[in-house]
Amino acid sequence: MSKEIQKEEGELEYHDILLDLIKGQSKKKKDALMKILYGGECIPIELSEKATDLSTEHDFEIKAFNLPTAYEEELRKPRKVRIGAIQNSIAVSTTESVEKQRNALWAKIEKLLIAAGEMGTNIICLQEAWTMPFAFCTREKKKWMEFAEPIDGPTTKFLSKIAKKYQMVILSPILERDIKRQGQIWNTVVVIDADGEVLGFQRKTHIPRVGDFNESTYYMEGNTPHTVFETKYAKVGINICYGRHFPENWAGYGLKGAEIVFNPSATVGLLSEPLWGVEARNAAIANGYFTVAINRVGTEVFPNEFTSGNGLPSHKDFGHFYGSSFLTAPNGLRTPSLSRVRDSLLVAEVDLNQIRQVRDKWCFPMTRRLPDYAKLFNEASQLDWEPEIISKSNPQKKKK
């Protein structure tokens, strides 16, 4: 990637530019634009003093919002939950030892998790493969495979103490080494409940084969589709990275009762940024739950040049990971994005009662046609299936 593109990719804060343009409008126009672009305005939450001090001392951003529910119910008490997301760059050069890279990331993320705990966050998710650089572009096995660890490995032990201290559910995406399956590698999120105990794990369902995303060199599709975890605060699902491109995948978590679906990701600007603000938001609306899209930040440079069979010259970096993490409510209201370039913490307070309120309004669960979809998907999953197209040579048959 050229230095000019790197500079443009890494320095522009598109959402800040957009909000600056909106600020120059009259209140009527501003309200209309915010309603169209973001579904309305979220209410800022005051940051705790300790969280503010941590963000200043360690140079990370905090954005915190309240997403108001439609109305307060008479019979059900509010189910207020504070949801968090962390995005970050790597902490040291990829040329450093595995242990030094991992330990530096532990030290960095600990500060953001403490800030989240001080903000009263109940459930928080980290970015995809947060304990390492996203080295799967290189197709190299040496060194990068050493970041893999068991579900109950050192990273989980490290996070369990923080989870227990702050009574905070932590979703930790790691490169998993499956000891029970001859050391097989998976892309996995470990679910640590508020008591510090491991509740379970979700493995990545969809593996990309596009551009520099050479992940199938390391791991294949997971075997835990659409798992929903009943944590202390909410029922959560985890749709890892590439799975966000599949509406059916998002739907699976909703059908199994998820109230919040997290999408920990690692994706670069020149590939996916036009899609980023659309997919998770659409999923929240279509499925009537909260979604949290999380992406890492920065440009990670690797020691050796690599190519990906796509005709591009050999290069040493993946491109710019553009951050821009955000949360969306079932009614389509979304938070402003986090930074494209900075380590950041997002905290959003929501009322889970909104899920039923939105479903009552739109009646999606009642009006969808699951038997029709099931019939089509079952037929289409057969290798000899051919779609029926109505034409003059193949007229439509009358139903009896």
Side-chain angles (χ1 to χ4, degrees), residues 290-337:
F290 292 89
T291 62
V292 189
I294 308 159
N295 187 26
R296 65 173 57 204
V297 293
T299 301
E300 301 172 0
V301 180
F302 295 95
N304 303 316
E305 291 185 344
F306 56 87
T307 60
S308 298
N310 53 9
L312 295 179
S314 60
H315 44 287
K316 288 189 174 185
D317 70 83
F318 220 134
H320 178 67
F321 294 103
Y322 53 84
S324 304
S325 306
F326 67 99
L327 176 144
T328 305
N331 64 355
L333 175 63
R334 54 153 290 180
T335 66
S337 295

Side-chain angles (χ1 to χ4, degrees), residues 170-273:
I170 300 177
L171 311 183
S172 172
I174 63 169
L175 188 64
E176 178 201 349
R177 187 172 292 280
D178 189 351
I179 303 301
K180 295 180 180 179
R181 289 179 175 264
Q182 299 178 307
Q184 181 175 340
I185 302 296
W186 305 95
N187 183 320
T188 301
V189 176
V190 181
V191 179
I192 305 169
D193 211 348
D195 58 1
E197 298 296 317
V198 173
L199 187 60
F201 57 90
Q202 170 74 57
R203 290 171 174 151
K204 190 169 183 174
T205 301
H206 295 278
I207 308 302
R209 292 162 177 83
V210 57
D212 286 332
F213 287 84
N214 298 313
E215 296 171 55
S216 58
T217 304
Y218 301 85
Y219 46 79
M220 295 300 288
E221 286 74 12
N223 55 3
T224 59
H226 311 119
T227 306
V228 174
F229 303 91
E230 186 164 8
T231 70
K232 180 178 179 179
Y233 305 106
K235 297 182 181 71
V236 304
I238 306 136
N239 183 7
I240 303 173
C241 197
Y242 198 63
R244 72 181 177 277
H245 302 306
F246 300 88
E248 307 90 339
N249 200 42
W250 288 105
Y253 294 100
L255 288 171
K256 294 183 75 171
E259 297 169 311
I260 309 165
V261 179
F262 293 87
N263 176 229
S265 301
T267 186
V268 291
L270 292 180
L271 176 68
S272 65
E273 196 159 11

Side-chain angles (χ1 to χ4, degrees), residues 48 51 54 60 62 82-86 109-124 162 166 168 345-347:
S48 73
L54 281 166
F60 61 84
I62 304 177
R82 284 201 173 185
I83 303 169
I86 289 175
I109 294 306
E110 183 176 25
K111 309 298 189 305
L112 283 98
L113 285 171
I114 291 171
E118 293 295 329
M119 286 290 297
T121 304
N122 302 121
I123 306 173
I124 193 163
I162 301 173
Y166 288 101
M168 181 167 60
L345 166 65
L346 174 66
V347 178

